[in-house]
């Protein structure tokens, strides 16, 4: 047995470095360097599972694994329980010869092991050599791992035996692994002294497992649910489990990968696990801990004493309770003065133990304690926010409303939007109750609702924003306050659209908003209503002229109003209405300038859309990537998570177009963690689905597509989202070209508002039709071929009826449109079954390379190689595009495409291996057979090993084929081989170069 490597741990999420530490210890023992590792962490963090997985790998490599565990309530007079259990387990599973050899070497084992009829009646000191002897007898036969799980509960004799074994480390093939719960070891516990003494030894180390990160929890959920977990579910689990793997497992018990949310109630098993330690406290201590739970955050001992006094509990009992709660792993110190629960989920569970009304006086006591405090900046925001919560819990709604509004104002000053939304949400909930008897107009509530909607639009879930606008619509009096009414009507309609509640453009509502504000032609509301009406018309392919008329009028009104908000909206409308006109450049720049002056992230997003309306038709992908990257960075800094989610998804899409899949993956992951509004989530999930499809993760892609249609049922008909081309590529990856063709045909007309999208759809239509035709040819189905070609003709004709014409360029700087057009021409030829299409595919690959479209270049290069093979071209000619496709597919992690290239290479008998010439570091380490080769001969040898022809070597090294032949003759003479295949085979066997 050469070593125990642990390349992966099946069923274990994360823990890569920790697994390597344990595997390294076992491998070292195989090399006769024994060691011990003490694995520790809180309950449920995954200590036992990790050690078990590593030991399973070790056992598969031939090691003996002895597993014992400490017993919490074991009899104090039963020594060596943990070690005897480990030895009994080995005895039961060992091979007869191994067992016989070990027992023969240690006859006294019969007195130790119950299965042999023994009873450990000797003194513990005299039994130690027996245990040690058995282990040494086993170690002499094969490497051995001794595990003592939950060593904190092991009897003293077992701990002494571990000390004895570790102190006796010499050159045995033995690894000792123990686990223990570090939160249950109080200061002064004898276990601490024992551990401290052992850790000082050179062969002993400590490994602490912390809670899992979000990524690790997401990986664990994928394992538990049998598929990619929904990002919303991941966020909910992370928030409640706080990275504890055991709690995560209990939280999602019974769920599937299709579920998006956790059940409202905690599972009974999880509640029981959390409360187990609490139940071990005495009655006063349990009550003090419940008071801390009501606090809702880490509290000082002084505050807890003050609140407990109001409940009739004296200070001494509070101190005792905190000490006991800390000893039992329930509470931990935060800094030098604060105390809180080791796992915050316990606070939630303890709050549920109060019967209705029981917690009211406790909340009142906490509110009274908080009123006597003051703070600054974020500390004051927290204090006032907690005060609002406790007043609400104490049923003092007026005081809670006042504190909520104060907290919201503080949050706005500190630019803490998520916190501002929380406090505005509570205030909006309380306002109708507190002001139920008011006879005044509802201006105060309307101000509050508008503010809530504005903030929630940036950080909320969309439904909350819509609810605020809908409530405002019920309250506003159009005759008394027409400008406010115009604003509310406009924003309600837009919110319905963004949340997926409205399928088409809200012309009626927006026209009503214009009419309400029209008597005030110099108002910002009038300009904004006109701008939004222009944008709505712009998204309807038959209304471009109306879009321009409304945009022009919006610009005039915005200039009269002097409002930066109105000017930003109006210039965005101009940029989108005149998207193919050069005036879009200046209009989009002005939209950005005025939006920045508003200081509102949402307005900046709309202005960036205006800039995109200028950049996208001109093929300026690098500028689009930079625009989204800047937007993502800025909005993350501002805390505007919904806006950041859009930028992340949009950035991911552009990066996918460029074939920068690793960067796209990071952007998509960021967006999935942020997106809450339906449209923003759709942007992210479309990019996620496309990335998953290209990588061959079709189960993940399928889940994203399913969720997309739940978010926006008419997704394919929404212009601006790039949905049809993304969904079509997914369907092609699913080998459903007929469905892709149908989708593209039905949505072409509505997507023409973005000609670049329509052009990509036309190219993908040719690809889908070509796939259908190829499948039909394989089945010798002539009618099927004809149907595929006819379907493509119909889509092409439909596209030609739309303006602008297909593949029309605005500027010669646009390199993308010619590339897409070249792909379309090549795919059309494939659909028609034309011969000699290699030149078309070569041109498509060349244009894609020039445009930086690495994914499409890889696809075209693979088709180019296929066409050359069909045409009977030489292997050297075929190898060029084939290896290029393989390299590109490998770089962008496009698994299915790489597999297709590999299959084609097998048919063509072309090696895809890359040459790896000897480096300066390896020249002196050459095997004797190659020691006399020159540097150039070593280079050529590397190309021979990679399967290259004379012509390919000559082209790669910029030398003639005659020179290559001369060098190879020298190679054969110096190595004593007779052919280039022989010398290549010799090099491969020797692992050189």
């Amino acid at each position: 047995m050469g070593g125990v490597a642990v390349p992966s741990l099946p069923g274990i999420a994360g823990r890569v470095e920790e697994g390597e530490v344990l595997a390294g210890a076992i491998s070292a023992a195989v090399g006769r360097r024994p060691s011990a590792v003490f694995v520790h962490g809180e309950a449920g963090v995954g200590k036992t599972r990790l050690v078990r997985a590593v030991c399973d790998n070790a056992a598969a490599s031939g090691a003996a694994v002895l597993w014992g565990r400490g017993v919490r309530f074991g009899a104090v007079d039963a020594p060596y329980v943990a070690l005897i259990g480990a030895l009994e387990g080995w005895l039961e599973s060992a091979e007869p010869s191994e067992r016989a050899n070990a027992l023969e070497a240690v006859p006294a084992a019969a007195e130790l092991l119950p299965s042999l009829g023994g009873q450990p009646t000797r003194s513990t000191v005299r039994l130690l050599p027996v245990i040690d002897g058995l282990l040494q007898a086993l170690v002499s036969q094969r490497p051995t791992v001794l595990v003592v799980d939950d060593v904190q509960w092991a009897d003293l004799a077992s701990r002494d035996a571990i000390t004895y074994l570790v102190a006796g480390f010499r050159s045995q093939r033995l690894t000792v692994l123990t686990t223990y719960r570090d939160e249950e070891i109080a200061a002064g516990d004898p276990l601490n002294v024992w551990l401290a003494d052992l850790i000082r030894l050179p062969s002993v180390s400590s490994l602490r497992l912390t809670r899992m990160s979000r990524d690790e929890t997401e990986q664990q959920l994928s394992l538990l649910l049998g598929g990619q977990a929904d990002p919303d579910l991941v966020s909910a689990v992370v928030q409640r489990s706080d990275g504890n793997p055991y709690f995560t497992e209990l939280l999602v018990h019974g769920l599937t990968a299709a579920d998006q949310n956790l059940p409202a109630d905690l599972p009974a098993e999880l509640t029981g696990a959390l409360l187990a330690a609490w139940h071990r406290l005495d009655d006063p201590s349990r009550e003090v801990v419940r008071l801390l739970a009501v606090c809702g955050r880490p509290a000082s001992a002084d505050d807890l004493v003050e609140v407990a006094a109001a409940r009739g509990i004296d200070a001494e009992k509070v101190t005792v309770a905190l000490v006991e709660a800390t000893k039992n792993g329930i509470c931990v110190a935060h800094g030098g003065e604060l105390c809180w629960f080791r796992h915050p989920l316990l606070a939630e569970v303890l709050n549920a133990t109060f019967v209705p009304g029981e917690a009211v006086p406790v909340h009142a006591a906490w509110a009274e304690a908080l009123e006597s405090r003051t703070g600054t900046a974020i500390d004051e925001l927290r204090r006032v926010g907690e005060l609002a919560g406790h007043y609400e819990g104490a049923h003092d709604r007026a005081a809670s409303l006042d504190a909520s509004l104060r907290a919201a104002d503080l949050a706005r000053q500190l630019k803490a939007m998520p916190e501002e939304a929380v406090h505005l949400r509570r205030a909006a909930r309380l306002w109708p109750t507190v002001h139920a008897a008011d006879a005044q107009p509802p201006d105060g509530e309307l101000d509050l609702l508008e503010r809530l909607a504005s903030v929630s639009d940036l950080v909320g879930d969309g439904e909350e924003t819509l609810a605020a606008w809908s409530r405002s619509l019920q309250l506003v009096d159009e005759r008394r306050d027409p400008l406010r009414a115009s604003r509310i009507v406009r924003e309600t309609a837009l919110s319905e659209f963004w949340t997926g509640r409205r399928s088409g453009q809200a012309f009626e509502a927006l026209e009503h908003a214009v009419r309400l504000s029209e008597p005030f032609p110099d108002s910002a509301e009038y300009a904004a209503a006109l701008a939004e009406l222009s944008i709505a018309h712009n998204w309807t392919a038959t209304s471009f002229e109306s879009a321009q008329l409304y945009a022009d009028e919006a610009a005039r009104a915005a200039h009269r109003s002097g409002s930066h908000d109105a000017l930003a909206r109006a210039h965005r409308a101009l940029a989108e209405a005149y998207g193919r006109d050069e005036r879009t450049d200046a209009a989009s720049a002005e939209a950005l300038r005025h939006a920045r002056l508003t200081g509102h992230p949402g307005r900046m997003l709309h202005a960036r859309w205006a800039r995109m309306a200028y950049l996208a038709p001109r093929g300026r992908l690098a500028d689009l990537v930079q625009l989204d990257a800047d937007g993502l960075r800025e909005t993350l800094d501002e805390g505007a998570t919904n806006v950041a989610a859009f930028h992340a998804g949009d950035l991911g899409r552009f990066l996918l177009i460029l074939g920068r899949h690793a960067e796209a993956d990071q952007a998509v992951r960021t967006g999935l963690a942020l997106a809450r509004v339906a449209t923003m989530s759709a942007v992210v999930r479309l990019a996620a689905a496309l990335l998953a499809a290209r990588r061959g993760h079709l189960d993940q892609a399928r889940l994203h597509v399913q969720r997309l249609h739940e978010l926006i049922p008419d997704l394919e008909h929404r212009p601006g989202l790039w949905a049809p081309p993304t969904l079509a590529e997914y369907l092609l990856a699913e080998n459903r070209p007929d469905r892709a063709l149908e989708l593209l045909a039905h949505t072409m007309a509505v997507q023409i508002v973005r000609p670049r999208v329509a052009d990509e759809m036309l190219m993908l239509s040719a690809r889908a039709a070509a796939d259908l035709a190829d499948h039909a040819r394989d089945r010798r189905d002539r009618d099927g071929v004809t149907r595929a070609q006819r379907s493509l003709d119909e889509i092409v004709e439909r596209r030609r009826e739309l303006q602008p014409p297909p593949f029309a360029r605005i500027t010669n700087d646009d390199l993308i449109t010619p590339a897409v057009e070249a792909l379309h021409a090549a795919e059309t030829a494939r659909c028609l079954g034309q011969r000699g299409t290699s030149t078309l595919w070569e041109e498509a690959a060349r244009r894609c390379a020039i445009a930086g479209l690495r994914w499409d270049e890889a696809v075209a290069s693979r088709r180019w190689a296929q066409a050359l093979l069909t045409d009977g071209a030489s292997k050297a000619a075929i190898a060029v595009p084939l290896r290029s496709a393989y390299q590109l597919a490998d770089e962008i992690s496009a698994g299915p495409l790489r597999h297709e290239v590999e299959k084609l290479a097998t048919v063509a008998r072309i090696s895809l291996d890359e040459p790896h010439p000897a480096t300066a570091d390896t020249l002196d380490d050459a095997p004797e057979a190659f020691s006399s080769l020159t540097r150039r001969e070593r280079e050529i040898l590397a190309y021979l090993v990679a399967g290259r022809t004379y012509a390919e070597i000559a082209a790669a090294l910029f030398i003639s084929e005659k020179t290559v032949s001369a060098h190879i003759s020298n190679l054969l003479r110096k190595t004593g081989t007779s052919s280039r295949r022989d010398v290549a085979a010799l090099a491969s066997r020797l692992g050189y170069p």
Side-chain angles (χ1 to χ4, degrees):
M1 178 176 170
V4 182
V6 184
S8 62
L9 298 173
I12 299 290
R15 307 305 191 201
V16 175
E17 294 180 2
E18 295 91 337
E20 289 174 350
V21 169
L22 297 179
I26 297 173
S27 292
V30 173
R32 297 191 177 279
R33 297 190 306 278
S35 64
V37 182
F38 288 75
V39 184
H40 60 105
E42 69 180 16
V45 82
K47 305 178 293 297
T48 300
R49 187 165 294 185
L50 174 64
V51 173
R52 176 74 72 183
V54 173
C55 287
D56 285 346
N57 277 0
S61 298
V65 176
L66 283 66
W67 193 284
R69 55 178 50 87
V71 181
R72 180 163 201 151
F73 301 110
V76 294
D77 59 347
Y80 302 120
V81 171
L83 274 76
I84 289 174
L87 290 166
E88 287 282 7
W90 161 77
L91 196 65
E92 182 178 340
S93 61
E95 292 292 329
S97 59
E98 181 180 73
R99 180 172 52 198
N101 290 337
L103 294 178
E104 182 180 352
V106 188
E111 300 179 28
L112 178 71
L113 302 177
S115 62
L116 300 178
Q119 292 289 335
T121 54
R122 292 187 180 191
S123 73
T124 56
V125 174
R126 293 181 61 194
L127 284 175
L128 272 176
V130 177
I131 294 172
D132 183 47
L134 272 175
L135 283 172
Q136 300 310 323
L138 180 54
V139 165
S140 68
Q141 299 180 71
R142 57 175 169 150
T144 301
V145 183
L146 171 64
V147 180
V148 180
D149 198 15
D150 286 327
V151 76
Q152 78 277 4
W153 294 332
D155 57 275
L156 291 176
S158 291
R159 292 185 203 167
D160 288 342
I162 293 171
T163 304
Y164 185 90
L165 293 170
V166 170
F169 280 164
R170 296 294 182 270
S171 60
Q172 307 96 319
R173 293 184 296 173
L174 175 63
T175 307
V176 176
L177 303 179
T178 74
T179 72
Y180 66 91
R181 299 182 182 182
D182 52 17
E183 84 276 20
E184 296 189 0
I185 306 174
D189 190 304
L191 182 64
N192 276 328
V193 178
W194 178 71
L195 289 168
D197 288 341
L198 281 177
I199 292 297
R200 293 193 187 99
L201 298 176
S203 55
V204 180
S205 61
S206 174
L207 177 64
R208 186 169 192 273
L209 297 193
T210 59
R211 294 177 186 174
M212 286 187 168
S213 66
R214 179 191 171 91
D215 287 348
E216 290 170 332
T217 301
E218 183 175 1
Q219 184 184 354
Q220 182 191 7
L221 289 174
S222 296
L223 292 171
L224 292 171
L225 303 178
Q228 184 73 23
D230 186 276
D232 291 341
L233 181 64
V234 175
S235 296
V237 170
V238 170
Q239 182 179 7
R240 301 189 82 177
S241 74
D242 202 23
N244 183 291
Y246 178 57
F247 292 166
T248 293
E249 186 173 346
L250 293 180
L251 279 168
V252 300
H253 180 70
L255 300 185
T256 68
D259 289 300
Q260 300 161 26
N261 298 295
L262 288 172
D265 298 325
L266 290 177
E269 188 176 355
L270 175 56
T271 300
L274 287 165
L275 289 176
W278 177 75
H279 280 300
R280 291 197 293 270
L281 302 176
D282 59 28
D283 288 345
S285 296
R286 285 202 298 270
E287 186 58 24
V288 170
V289 171
R290 286 212 306 165
L291 297 181
L292 179 61
V294 174
C295 179
R297 47 87 182 164
S300 69
D302 290 342
D303 285 348
L304 193 55
V305 166
E306 183 177 340
V307 171
R311 301 289 293 160
I313 303 173
D314 62 43
E316 183 178 352
K317 289 181 179 177
V318 172
T319 303
V320 170
L322 291 178
V323 169
E324 289 303 311
T326 303
K327 282 183 178 180
N328 281 274
I330 297 169
C331 295
V332 291
H334 277 235
E337 299 180 354
L338 302 179
C339 182
W340 187 234
F341 295 95
R342 179 174 292 277
H343 200 289
L345 198 57
L346 180 55
E348 180 182 335
V349 173
L350 288 173
N351 270 297
T353 64
F354 287 91
V355 299
E358 184 184 3
V360 170
V362 182
H363 280 292
W366 277 113
E368 184 177 352
L370 285 168
E371 281 286 16
S372 63
R373 310 284 191 267
T374 58
T376 58
I378 194 69
D379 289 334
E380 180 65 1
L381 169 59
R382 288 172 181 159
R383 185 190 72 85
V384 179
E386 290 164 9
L387 189 61
H390 286 304
Y391 273 133
E392 185 176 20
H395 295 177
D396 189 343
R397 294 178 178 83
S400 180
L401 174 59
D402 177 70
S404 296
L405 293 173
R406 283 191 286 140
D409 290 342
L410 283 168
R412 180 165 56 183
Q413 293 172 20
L414 295 169
K415 300 186 182 302
M417 275 187 284
E419 289 76 14
E420 184 181 2
V422 167
H423 300 307
L424 290 174
R425 191 180 304 127
R426 184 192 297 111
R429 185 175 66 246
L430 293 169
W431 188 285
T433 302
V434 174
H435 293 277
D438 289 0
Q440 300 298 318
D443 291 349
E445 185 174 2
L446 283 168
D447 290 340
L448 172 59
L449 290 168
E450 285 197 69
R451 181 179 170 188
L452 170 60
S454 177
V455 175
S456 179
D457 191 42
L458 300 174
V459 298
D461 63 1
E463 295 300 323
E464 179 179 79
T465 305
L466 178 57
W469 285 124
S470 299
R471 170 68 176 161
S472 300
L473 197 60
Q474 295 172 358
L475 294 175
V476 70
D477 186 331
E478 293 185 355
R479 288 177 296 180
R480 192 181 72 82
D481 197 349
L483 288 180
R484 187 198 290 269
S486 174
R487 189 167 62 244
I488 291 173
V489 167
R490 179 190 77 220
E491 295 298 331
T492 303
L494 294 176
S495 185
E496 288 174 344
F497 181 81
W498 293 120
T499 55
R501 296 296 188 86
R502 181 184 289 272
S503 58
Q505 297 298 325
F507 291 116
E508 184 177 345
L510 293 174
E511 288 167 358
H512 184 45
V514 170
R515 289 193 298 272
L516 286 168
S517 56
E518 196 169 15
F520 310 91
D522 298 341
S523 66
E525 285 79 4
Y526 181 55
L530 287 166
E532 296 299 341
L533 186 56
S534 167
I535 292 165
H537 277 282
N538 186 62
W539 286 112
T540 305
T542 58
S543 303
F544 291 140
E545 290 184 3
S546 297
Q548 292 172 356
L549 288 173
Y550 286 124
D552 290 336
E553 180 57 30
R556 290 189 288 269
H559 282 289
R560 291 194 300 268
S561 74
S563 163
H564 290 300
D565 181 272
L567 284 163
R569 291 176 186 266
H571 282 293
R572 177 204 167 190
L574 286 170
E576 297 202 9
Y578 294 94
R580 301 182 69 82
D581 191 307
E582 283 308 308
R583 78 185 75 179
T584 302
D585 188 7
S588 61
E590 280 295 284
L592 281 169
R593 183 173 74 85
H594 287 291
R596 199 169 293 282
L597 289 171
T598 68
H600 193 280
R603 203 60 55 238
M604 278 298 298
L605 172 62
H606 297 162
R608 289 191 182 98
W609 286 344
R611 192 63 183 161
M612 289 173 189
Y614 171 71
L615 296 172
R618 291 156 180 81
R620 291 171 56 176
L621 274 181
D623 291 334
L624 287 165
V625 167
Q626 191 60 54
L627 190 69
D628 270 320
D630 290 344
L632 177 59
R633 184 184 64 256
E634 290 176 15
T635 49
L636 284 174
D637 290 342
E638 293 163 336
T641 52
N642 284 333
V643 182
F646 172 85
H647 283 302
D650 207 46
L651 176 61
R653 174 167 61 88
F654 289 131
L655 290 170
L656 284 170
I657 292 173
L658 292 169
R660 291 158 60 178
H661 287 193
E663 296 169 78
D665 187 21
Q666 184 59 49
V668 165
R669 290 176 67 82
T670 298
L672 287 172
L674 297 172
R676 301 186 68 192
V677 176
T679 299
M680 307 308 186
S681 182
V683 172
V684 180
R685 285 184 182 274
L686 282 166
L690 182 56
L691 178 62
R694 288 184 178 179
R695 287 183 165 177
H697 303 155
L698 293 182
D699 55 338
Q700 294 181 21
R702 200 173 300 117
L703 284 172
H704 286 303
V705 171
Q706 177 184 338
R707 181 65 176 135
L708 278 163
H709 285 105
E710 292 170 358
L711 290 166
I712 305 178
D714 66 333
L715 177 72
E716 296 88 342
H717 297 277
R718 285 282 185 103
L721 293 179
W722 288 68
T726 299
L727 296 175
E729 191 169 329
Y730 156 70
L731 289 167
L732 290 173
E734 286 265 24
N735 198 25
R736 296 161 62 190
D738 53 340
R739 179 70 187 93
L741 203 58
E742 179 185 351
L743 167 71
L744 294 165
H746 289 167
T747 57
M748 179 71 75
V750 74
Q751 297 294 337
I752 193 59
V753 296
R754 287 292 181 262
R756 182 171 300 287
V757 178
D759 287 344
E760 186 172 350
M761 291 171 63
L762 189 59
M763 183 274 289
L764 288 169
S765 297
R767 181 170 295 169
D771 283 355
L772 274 176
D774 280 348
H775 295 166
R777 291 188 189 100
D778 291 342
R779 301 189 307 271
R780 299 184 180 182
D781 178 5
R782 291 186 178 182
D783 291 341
V785 173
T786 301
R787 285 194 300 273
Q789 293 171 347
R790 186 183 301 121
S791 296
L792 179 57
D793 288 341
E794 291 172 356
I795 293 178
V796 170
E797 185 59 32
R798 189 173 304 177
R799 174 64 183 89
R800 285 175 178 164
E801 294 172 355
L802 304 172
Q803 290 297 322
F807 309 114
R809 285 200 290 176
I810 296 176
T811 169
N812 290 334
D813 294 334
D814 176 11
L815 301 176
I816 295 177
T817 299
V820 177
E821 184 176 16
L823 287 167
H824 175 261
E827 293 287 11
T828 299
R830 182 164 71 95
C831 177
L832 296 176
Q834 295 176 355
R835 292 283 180 178
T837 60
S838 60
T839 54
L840 289 174
W841 285 112
E842 181 180 7
E843 176 67 4
R846 185 183 71 83
R847 288 193 174 275
C848 288
I850 293 172
L853 309 181
R854 298 171 72 229
W855 161 260
D856 293 299
E857 181 190 354
V859 171
S861 295
R862 180 246 168 180
R863 290 291 180 190
W864 176 16
Q866 176 72 65
L868 287 170
L869 181 64
T870 302
D871 293 344
S874 68
K875 287 176 64 174
I878 299 169
V880 173
L882 195 63
R883 289 177 181 142
S884 174
Y886 186 75
Q887 182 179 357
L888 286 165
D890 190 58
E891 288 174 359
I892 61 180
S893 301
L897 179 57
R898 185 173 58 228
H899 182 59
E900 290 297 319
V901 174
E902 289 169 343
K903 288 195 298 184
L904 187 57
T906 300
V907 172
R909 297 184 179 181
I910 292 174
S911 171
L912 296 173
D913 294 336
E914 285 297 314
H916 296 289
T919 63
D921 294 336
T922 61
L923 286 176
D924 296 334
D925 298 328
E928 184 177 350
F930 302 110
S931 60
S932 63
L933 300 185
T934 66
R935 184 183 297 274
R936 176 63 85 183
E937 288 165 352
R938 294 170 200 253
E939 278 186 314
I940 290 176
L941 175 62
Y943 280 91
L944 290 176
V945 171
R948 298 300 191 264
T949 65
Y950 282 31
E952 290 171 331
I953 298 173
L957 298 180
F958 302 102
I959 57 178
S960 69
E961 289 189 46
K962 184 177 180 180
T963 302
V964 173
S965 177
H967 282 303
I968 291 177
S969 295
N970 290 333
L971 267 171
L972 300 182
R973 177 176 53 79
K974 290 180 179 181
T975 59
T977 52
S978 59
S979 70
R980 63 184 184 184
R981 287 191 178 86
D982 287 343
V983 73
L986 175 63
S988 296
R989 289 196 301 273
L990 296 177
Y992 187 81

